Amino acid sequence: MYQVSSHGSLNNALDEIYGSLPPEEKNALRDRIAGGIYSSAERIAGKVVSRKGKQINWDQKIDDVLTSRCLGIPVMLLLLGVVLWLTVTGANYPSQILASGLFRIEDILTGLFVQAGAPAWLHGLLVEGAYLSLAWVVSVMLPPMAIFFPLFTIMEDLGYLPRVAFNLDKFFRRAGAHGKQSLTMSMGFGCNAAGVISCRIIESPRERLIAVLTNSFIPCNGRFPTLIILSTLFMGGTVAASFRSAAASLVVVGLVLTGITVTLLVSRLLTKTLLRGEPSFFILELPPYRKPQVGRIIIRSVLDRTLFVLGRAVVVAVPAGALTWILANTFINDLSLLSHAAGFLDSFGWLLGMDGFILMAFILGLPANEIVLPILLMSYVSAGTMVEPESLAALHNILVVQNGWTWLTALSVMLFSLLHYPCGTTLLTIFKETRSLKWTLIALLMPLSVALLVTFTLTQAARLLGLA
Amino acid sequence: MALLNLACSKKSCRNRSVPQNQFLRLTVALAGNPNTGKSTVFNALTGLSQHTGNWPGKTVQRAEGNFYHRNKHFTLVDLPGTYSLFANSVDEQVARDYICFARPDVTVVVTDATCLERNLNLVLQVMEITPKVVVCLNLMDEAERKKICVDVELLSSELGVPVVATAARSGRCLDKLMDAIDDVASGRIKTSPRLVAYDSEIEQLVQKIELKISPLVPEGLNPRWVALRLLDGDRSIIDSLQRYLREGKNSSFHWGEERALCIR
C-alpha cells in the first residue's frame, strides 16, 4: 500500500513540476543544461589533450575525393562495380566444381536408394525434392556469397558506408526523408532485416517508418546472387566473351541504382501521402578510416554471414524442395498440381514478362528470397522430362532452351526480385519494430504493387516496341 | 546483423549455465559514442563475436556476454552507441534506461582518444546518473599515430573516476580495464565523480526540485539527475519512471530493451 501511494505522489510531483515550467523556458533551460555539459567537456579536454607537431590529415584528403560533389557518386559506383565484377568473375569456376560434385552425389544417392529397394516416391521426395534443391542452393548461392560478403565487409570495416550515406544524404532530404535513411539503406545491402532494425537510429517516428518501409528495395545479400547469376547468364551473353563479367556487373550496378531510385521515389510519395511532414535535421559523423582486419574479416564474414545466409537458405530450401516435388508429382487429370498452379498463374505471369513457374517460385520463396532461383530450377526440372543437369552450364539450357526465357524474362525476374516484398524474416522484424499489423501489411503490399507495376510496364513497352 | 545478435545472445545464455554460486555475479554496462570500438571491447572481453563495423549506429540492440576475472563472474551488456543520453532517439533511450533503471554494478564508458572532447559529453552525463563509472580511453593506437597525447592521470583526477587507456583491437591493456572494473564494482576504488556545475540559476532550480522529489524517487535513482531531466523538459523520463515503478520490480522485465515504434 505504501508503495502505491508513493508512486502516486511521485507522479503528481513530477507532473506538477513539469507542468509548472513555461514551455519557452523549458527549451532555454535544456540548451543551458546541454551547454553546461559541453563547456565542462571542452575545459577538461583542453587540459588533458595535447598534440605533438603537425600531422597531415589523410582522412580529410581521402574524404575530399570520396565525398566530393562531382567525384563522390562516380567513385561509389565504380567501387560497387569492381566488387561485383570480382564476384562475377570469381564465382564462375567454383560454381562449376560445386555443381558437378553435388550432382554426382545425387547419382550416388540414387544408386543407394535403388540398392536398398526404397519406393520411388521416397527417392523422389528425398533425393529429387529435398536433396536437389539443397544442391541448387549451395552451388548457385555459395560461391558468389563467399566472395561478395568478405568484400562487402572490408568496405564496411574501412568506414566506407557512412561516406555512401553522406553522398546520398542530399537526395534523401530532397525526397523529404531523413538523411540517416541513406545509412539504414546501406545496411540493407547486408540484410534487410538488419537494415530495418538499424532504422532505430532515426529519431522521428515518421521518418523512421519511411526508412523501414522502403528498406527492401535494396537488394540484400540473399538476393545479390540471383541478380548476379541471371545477369551473367543473359546480359553477359550479348557481348564478346572477354567483356562478359564486366557487362554483367554493369547490369547489377544498374539494378542497384534502380533500387535506390525507387527508394527515393517511394519515400517521396510516402512523405506526400501517408506520412506527411518535413525532414528533420541531423549530424552525420564520418568516422576515421581504419585499416581493415583482413584475416578476421574473412573468417567472420564466411562464418557469420555466408554460413548464416546459406544455412537459412538450406533450412528453407529443403522443405520447399520436398514440397515442390510433391506438387510436381501429385497428379490431377494427368496434370501435376504444380502445373495446375503454374498454368493458373501463367497468363498473369505472361503480362509481367514471366511465367507461372516463376511466380510460384516467388511465392514459395517468401520465407527466404535466396531460394527463389533454386526452387524455380527445381520446378522446371521436375515438371519437364529432361535428364538431370550435369553442371551449371546446364542452367542456361534449362532456362533458355527448355523454357523459352528471353532477355525480357531475365530482366523481369531480376526487377521483380529487386522490388517485390521483403522476405519473411524481414517482415517479422518489421512487425516487431512497428508492432502494427497495418504497417507490416503495407510493407508487404506496397513493394509488391511497385514490382507489378514496373514489370508490367516494362513488358508491355518492350512488346509494343517489338523488342521481345 | 540482427539475426547474428540473436545467435550471440544464445551463446551467452549457454555460458551462463556455468556453476554460479561459486562466483560473485556482477553486471557491467558498456556505453560510449558510436564508432569508438565498443563492440571490439565487448568481443575482446567476452570472447564473443558480435559483428563489428566502422560506422556509427551499428549496435542498435543490446548484446550480452560474460567474462570471468579474479574469480568473479561479470555479465557485460553492450549498449547502443550514443552521443548523449538526452533520449532523442530510441537507441539513446535504450542506453539511458538501462544505466538508470537496470542499475549495473559498473558502467564502462568507451571513449575515442582521438576526439576526446565530444566523447566526454557522454562521460559527464553518465556520471550524473551513477558514480560507478570506469572510463575506457580506447583507440590509443590511433591517437599515437595521429600524435595526440592524452594525460590519463590528469583526466582521471579531473573526472574523479578511473581512466584506463586501451587499444582494444590489439587487446592492449584490457586486463587493466578488467582490474579497474572489478575495483570499482567491489568498492576497492571509491569513485568521486566531479559533476558538472551549471549556472547558478539552474543549480538553484535543481536544488529546489531535488528537495521536493528526493523523498519520492525510488532508491538507487539519483534525485539530482531526475531533477535535471525534469528541467530539461524531458517527458520521456517521466514515462520511464512510471514504467519502472509499475514493472521494474518484476524480475522478468528487462530494462533497456527496444520499445516499439508507435505510429497508428
Side-chain angles (χ1 to χ4, degrees), chain A residues 2-14, chain B residues 97 99-103 129 209-210 212-227 230 237-249 255:
Chain A
Y2 164 74
Q3 273 188 344
V4 173
S5 66
S6 114
H7 302 171
S9 46
L10 176 64
N11 282 348
N12 292 344
L14 293 177
Chain B
D97 282 355
I99 299 172
C100 177
F101 298 115
R103 273 185 274 144
I129 303 180
I209 299 175
E210 209 182 322
K212 219 183 224 175
I213 58 173
S214 55
L216 304 170
V217 167
E219 201 194 313
L221 269 185
N222 183 344
R224 177 185 161 87
W225 181 76
V226 176
L230 284 173
I237 187 60
I238 300 185
D239 298 341
S240 290
L241 256 173
Q242 283 168 348
R243 215 177 93 174
Y244 174 70
L245 292 170
R246 228 180 16 249
E247 313 170 73
K249 314 269 180 332
W255 277 98

Side-chain angles (χ1 to χ4, degrees), chain A residues 268-349:
Chain A
R268 177 92 190 139
L269 193 72
L270 285 171
T271 57
K272 290 281 166 208
T273 54
L274 286 175
L275 296 161
R276 243 173 283 217
E278 289 300 306
S280 49
F281 172 79
F282 81 109
I283 295 168
L284 179 71
E285 180 196 17
L286 292 182
Y289 289 101
R290 300 214 170 110
K291 199 173 78 197
Q293 300 162 291
V294 177
R296 211 204 194 114
I297 283 174
I298 290 172
I299 295 168
R300 288 265 61 93
S301 61
V302 168
L303 287 184
D304 287 349
R305 285 190 167 163
T306 310
L307 290 186
F308 171 76
V309 176
L310 190 70
R312 192 179 80 135
V314 167
V315 166
V316 180
V318 168
L323 181 68
T324 313
W325 187 87
I326 294 172
L327 290 176
N329 289 278
T330 313
F331 291 90
I332 299 174
N333 301 336
D334 285 343
L335 207 56
S336 71
L337 279 179
L338 188 69
S339 304
H340 272 297
F344 175 74
L345 291 169
D346 220 27
S347 48
F348 182 56

Side-chain angles (χ1 to χ4, degrees), chain A residues 11 32-33 38 41 47-48 50 52 156-158 187 197 200 285 287-288 290-291 308 433-435, chain B residues 1-3 35 54-55 60 83 118 121 142 147 149 151 158 169 198-199 201 242 258 260-261:
Chain A
N11 282 348
R32 268 157 70 189
I33 290 173
Y38 290 155
K47 262 191 200 169
V48 301
S50 56
K52 275 188 283 182
E156 196 183 4
D157 223 41
L158 262 172
M187 248 342 258
I197 292 181
R200 289 180 188 176
E285 180 196 17
R290 300 214 170 110
K291 199 173 78 197
F308 171 76
E433 292 293 300
T434 60
R435 299 272 163 87
Chain B
M1 299 192 85
L3 296 142
N35 224 53
N54 185 10
W55 55 281
V60 285
Y83 295 108
R118 194 187 60 206
N121 290 325
E142 215 167 285
K147 302 209 166 102
C149 295
D151 188 334
E158 280 290 324
R169 271 161 73 112
Y198 298 95
D199 59 56
E201 194 191 342
Q242 283 168 348
E258 78 273 15
L261 167 63

Side-chain angles (χ1 to χ4, degrees), chain B residues 20-49:
Chain B
Q20 290 162 11
N21 42 6
Q22 65 196 61
F23 293 106
L24 194 59
R25 283 169 60 89
L26 296 158
T27 322
V28 181
L30 209 54
N33 282 18
N35 224 53
T36 49
K38 238 157 34 69
S39 295
T40 311
V41 172
F42 179 84
N43 287 345
L45 290 182
T46 59
L48 288 178
S49 48

Side-chain angles (χ1 to χ4, degrees), chain A residues 2-3 6-7 9-11 13-18 21 25-27 29-34 36-55 57 59 153 156-163 180 183 187 190-191 193-194 197-206 208-209 212 221 275 283-285 287-293 296 300 304-305 308-309 312 425 429 432-436 438-439, chain B residues 1-4 6 11 34-37 40 43-44 49-58 60-62 83-84 86-92 94 112-118 120-122 124-125 128 139 142 145-152 154-155 158-159 169-170 194 196-199 201-202 205 209 212-213 215-218 226 228-235 237-238 241-242 245-246 249 258-264:
Chain A
Y2 164 74
Q3 273 188 344
S6 114
H7 302 171
S9 46
L10 176 64
N11 282 348
L14 293 177
D15 281 335
E16 189 191 315
I17 294 160
Y18 186 79
L21 301 161
E25 186 111 344
K26 267 181 220 164
N27 277 338
L29 283 175
R30 180 168 204 157
D31 287 350
R32 268 157 70 189
I33 290 173
I37 291 172
Y38 290 155
S39 58
S40 288
E42 195 184 341
R43 185 183 54 79
I44 298 172
K47 262 191 200 169
V48 301
V49 178
S50 56
R51 274 158 211 275
K52 275 188 283 182
K54 276 231 170 121
Q55 173 86 10
N57 193 341
D59 281 8
T153 317
E156 196 183 4
D157 223 41
L158 262 172
Y160 189 63
L161 278 191
R163 272 81 191 177
K180 273 190 199 165
L183 201 61
M187 248 342 258
C191 166
I197 292 181
S198 73
C199 294
R200 289 180 188 176
I201 58 173
I202 297 174
E203 293 88 352
S204 126
R206 179 189 74 87
R208 190 173 156 208
L209 201 53
V212 166
N221 277 330
L275 296 161
I283 295 168
L284 179 71
E285 180 196 17
Y289 289 101
R290 300 214 170 110
K291 199 173 78 197
Q293 300 162 291
R296 211 204 194 114
R300 288 265 61 93
D304 287 349
R305 285 190 167 163
F308 171 76
V309 176
R312 192 179 80 135
T425 312
T429 311
K432 276 188 193 152
E433 292 293 300
T434 60
R435 299 272 163 87
S436 149
K438 176 188 146 196
W439 288 113
Chain B
M1 299 192 85
L3 296 142
L4 300 181
L6 290 181
K11 218 185 286 173
N35 224 53
T36 49
T40 311
N43 287 345
S49 48
Q50 171 86 331
H51 179 64
T52 58
N54 185 10
W55 55 281
K58 183 202 60 66
V60 285
Q61 279 178 317
R62 245 178 26 173
Y83 295 108
S84 76
F86 289 135
N88 289 323
S89 59
V90 184
D91 46 350
E92 285 188 9
V94 166
D112 181 347
T114 64
C115 42
L116 190 59
E117 184 181 324
R118 194 187 60 206
L120 282 177
N121 290 325
L122 184 72
L124 294 171
Q125 289 182 46
E128 282 183 337
L139 300 173
E142 215 167 285
R145 201 161 45 80
K146 290 186 175 169
K147 302 209 166 102
I148 296 170
C149 295
V150 181
D151 188 334
V152 180
L154 185 60
L155 180 61
E158 280 290 324
L159 294 172
R169 271 161 73 112
S170 51
R194 283 181 49 184
V196 175
Y198 298 95
D199 59 56
E201 194 191 342
I202 289 179
L205 278 168
I209 299 175
K212 219 183 224 175
I213 58 173
L216 304 170
V217 167
V226 176
L228 274 166
R229 295 293 74 77
L230 284 173
L231 272 183
D232 256 357
D234 182 358
R235 187 70 233 190
I237 187 60
I238 300 185
L241 256 173
Q242 283 168 348
L245 292 170
R246 228 180 16 249
K249 314 269 180 332
E258 78 273 15
R259 212 79 56 82
L261 167 63
C262 288
I263 294 190
R264 293 282 161 253

